Amino acid sequence: MSCADPKAPAGEEKKSSWPELVGKSIEDAREVILKDMPEVDIEVHPTDSVVSADWRSNRVRILVDTVATTPHIG
């Protein structure tokens, strides 16, 4: 799968995916994506979440599947 948007103007590759962010923190991923596309809306969901099937050019979904810190009451 290509990371560049085929509809981007000649000489300007607009990214459509960020495989280099796999394994990075949500904060790091958000920072990189917003640097590439400041106008995008970022959504964070658990991997097994049910999400809408509609396609939006201004939305990026980050899917996570691990617990990063110890859950605790408080």
Side-chain angles (χ1 to χ4, degrees):
M1 174 189 277
S2 172
C3 294
D5 183 347
K7 295 173 276 201
E12 179 185 319
E13 284 193 14
K14 190 171 185 178
K15 291 185 81 166
S16 62
S17 65
W18 291 262
E20 70 276 15
L21 297 178
V22 172
K24 302 290 185 188
S25 72
I26 294 168
E27 293 80 15
D28 289 346
R30 190 182 299 269
E31 182 179 332
V32 169
I33 293 166
L34 288 173
K35 182 179 175 190
D36 291 340
M37 294 184 70
E39 73 283 359
V40 78
D41 293 325
I42 297 175
E43 299 178 358
V44 180
H45 300 281
T47 300
D48 59 353
S49 290
V50 176
V51 295
S52 64
D54 65 316
W55 188 88
R56 290 183 21 214
S57 62
N58 66 331
R59 175 180 60 207
V60 173
R61 290 182 174 139
I62 299 174
L63 303 177
V64 295
D65 69 351
T66 59
V67 177
T69 61
T70 303
H72 65 312
I73 296 173

